[in-house]
Amino acid sequence: MKFISIVFAAILSGILISSCKSAPEPEKAATSSAAANKMSVAEIESPAPTGSAEPNLSTGPDGHVYLSWIESENSTASLKFSVLDGEKWTPAGTVATGQDWFINSSDFPSLIAMSNGTLAAHWLGNNKEGTEAYNVNIAISRDNGKTWSKPFIPHSDRSVNEHGFVSLVALGPAQLGAVWLDGKKIKDEVGDMALLYTTMDLDGKVGKETVLDGRVCECCQTSAAVTPDGLIVAYRDRSDKEIRDISTIRQVKDNWTASQIVNPDNWEIDGCPVNGPAVSASGNNAAVAWFTAPHDDAQVNVALSSDGGKTFGHPIRVDGGTPVGRVGVASLESGGALVSWVEQADSGTQVRLRRVEASGALAEALIPSEKSSSSFTAVPRITRSGNRVVVAWTDKEKPSKVHTATVKLD
């Protein structure tokens, strides 16, 4: 991505990390010891071998948790997946293998299950060698992942441009929805990245394409969740003055609302921070987590909603004072949420988790693995199934490897 080098340079120069090392422990609501006592975390053996990376997680309508990841060898890449069966992962299956894939630790593939058991997966394929141009590929399996359809492309633009940061959602037993960042307006580094949405059936027939926002941050992850009213999409917006705060846009009775800022952080930054938000919903309870750094004050926040994302409460800061970001969130039936992020530690970086109650009370932070990585940690992912949250992350020490853990909430 065009702006990744900007962010890495910023991190290495200390703009986003060392400046916040001197920040005090974030001001919090009262810590909830009751919530802390009801949580336990345990790392479980990952089905992904050494050399794996870019994990993603999803929970199917039946409660099964799916893990997907990328395995690369020389110029060949494979999208793999596994299903959590009790406390163990099933043997890995393969979605697709190819030599023309675009692989980036911030723009990861996904796999979801639909209500009729159909699986859908996406990955990115380069559309011109030697460029940062790529297309979205989606494949369907009707036999629990044993075989997969020929991939199809959901976006209408097929130009040599960027199409990625996909959020894939199940809209019913036979319909998918996809949100992605589309660079068709960008030419020769001039123009805006847009946020687009479309639907598709299981035969690859694509519906009407909708521009949700015509000017967004160029390479921050998108996130989408289903509420009783429809979809809610979270993304990093981009104003004419380069304010890059988090916005949401909702689907209500097949119509899209105007976008709204979750909180006016007023983070002005000339390059994309490659640090997108996460949204999760449980009925009308919704939660958005995000990273921000106005005035070089890096922080991870979460905002809660009890009306399906129509309105959000004040942001609640969850980090330990030195966050890198890379957030995930799982909404809880109680109205609270579990937030994941990456924190800078003395020995490197750590994946951390913290429960937030609907009241705003915070549990103590949990670390799914005591091992810190001295290299840059990729985006951890989380998903909830009942009273259990599953976590996946990549240890970027060479060779890389995907790790998994479970958090029991009760």
Side-chain angles (χ1 to χ4, degrees):
M1 307 301 294
K2 295 181 177 68
F3 293 90
I4 288 178
S5 59
I6 295 176
V7 179
F8 284 173
I11 291 174
L12 292 174
S13 64
I15 293 175
L16 294 183
I17 292 181
S18 65
S19 64
C20 67
K21 282 188 177 179
S22 60
E25 179 72 10
E27 188 175 324
K28 308 181 184 76
T31 299
S32 171
S33 58
N37 291 335
K38 290 183 179 180
M39 291 174 57
S40 61
V41 60
E43 188 167 355
I44 58 176
E45 184 176 355
S46 169
T50 299
S52 56
E54 283 76 62
N56 211 339
L57 289 165
S58 67
T59 300
D62 59 1
H64 282 107
V65 173
Y66 295 81
L67 170 70
S68 60
W69 68 91
I70 290 286
E71 294 178 16
S72 300
E73 185 175 356
N74 298 323
S75 60
T76 301
S78 296
L79 176 57
K80 301 283 189 173
F81 76 98
S82 178
V83 185
L84 189 59
D85 183 10
E87 296 299 321
K88 294 183 178 181
W89 295 100
T90 61
T94 301
V95 176
T97 298
Q99 295 184 322
D100 59 347
W101 291 16
F102 179 83
I103 299 176
N104 183 282
S105 61
S106 297
D107 196 352
F108 28 76
S110 69
L111 183 147
I112 63 171
M114 307 177 74
S115 59
N116 62 356
T118 299
L119 304 179
H122 99 271
W123 67 95
L124 304 179
N126 286 312
N127 61 17
K128 186 175 181 180
E129 187 177 355
T131 69
E132 291 186 347
Y134 45 89
N135 293 326
V136 179
N137 291 277
I138 295 177
I140 304 295
S141 175
R142 304 172 190 264
D143 55 9
N144 298 313
K146 295 178 182 178
T147 61
W148 291 83
S149 69
K150 181 180 178 180
F152 61 89
I153 297 174
H155 45 84
S156 61
D157 179 57
R158 305 298 170 87
S159 65
V160 181
N161 243 314
E162 301 171 16
H163 313 85
F165 295 99
V166 179
S167 292
L168 198 62
V169 291
L171 301 178
Q175 190 177 48
L176 293 167
V179 178
W180 71 95
L181 299 188
D182 197 296
K184 65 182 177 181
K185 295 171 63 178
I186 296 179
K187 184 178 180 181
D188 299 328
E189 304 283 347
V190 178
D192 296 329
M193 187 71 79
L195 179 72
L196 270 63
Y197 168 80
T198 196
T199 60
M200 63 213 79
D201 66 21
L202 301 185
D203 293 321
K205 183 180 179 180
V206 179
K208 178 183 177 182
E209 198 170 83
T210 302
V211 178
L212 301 182
D213 194 318
R215 178 181 168 88
V216 301
C217 205
E218 300 87 348
C219 41
C220 276
Q221 297 88 357
T222 66
S223 186
V226 179
T227 74
D229 288 333
L231 292 183
I232 178 171
V233 178
Y235 61 100
R236 191 175 294 282
D237 218 332
R238 181 187 177 194
S239 75
D240 293 338
K241 296 181 179 179
E242 301 297 351
I243 302 299
R244 302 187 187 229
D245 289 343
I246 302 304
S247 287
T248 58
I249 185 169
R250 297 184 305 123
Q251 186 185 44
V252 180
K253 296 181 179 179
D254 296 326
N255 295 314
W256 290 95
T257 65
S259 64
Q260 64 175 5
I261 297 292
V262 177
N263 186 71
D265 300 328
N266 294 313
W267 186 16
E268 181 180 350
I269 179 172
D270 289 334
C272 176
V274 198
N275 223 321
V279 63
S280 177
S282 177
N284 279 315
N285 294 320
V288 174
W290 71 97
F291 173 84
T292 187
H295 310 295
D296 291 339
D297 178 19
Q299 52 192 271
V300 170
N301 295 321
V302 63
L304 305 176
S305 171
S306 60
D307 54 15
K310 184 178 181 180
T311 60
F312 283 92
H314 294 296
I316 303 165
R317 186 169 177 178
V318 299
D319 65 83
T322 56
V324 178
R326 318 301 181 211
V327 301
V329 69
S331 180
L332 306 179
E333 294 176 352
S334 63
L338 188 71
V339 183
S340 64
W341 73 97
V342 176
E343 185 88 18
Q344 185 74 13
D346 291 340
S347 57
T349 54
Q350 290 178 336
V351 178
R352 294 192 182 179
L353 307 164
R354 176 165 268 156
R355 181 171 176 167
V356 182
E357 302 291 1
S359 64
L362 299 177
E364 295 295 331
L366 297 176
I367 302 173
S369 175
E370 290 296 333
K371 184 179 185 295
S372 293
S373 173
S374 59
S375 59
F376 196 76
T377 302
V379 182
R381 309 297 291 164
I382 62 175
T383 189
R384 182 176 71 87
S385 177
N387 67 345
R388 180 170 64 175
V389 172
V390 183
V391 191
W393 70 96
T394 304
D395 180 353
K396 298 293 284 186
E397 293 279 5
K398 293 183 179 181
S400 65
K401 180 175 170 53
V402 170
H403 293 264
T404 58
T406 59
V407 180
K408 292 184 180 180
L409 301 175
D410 297 309

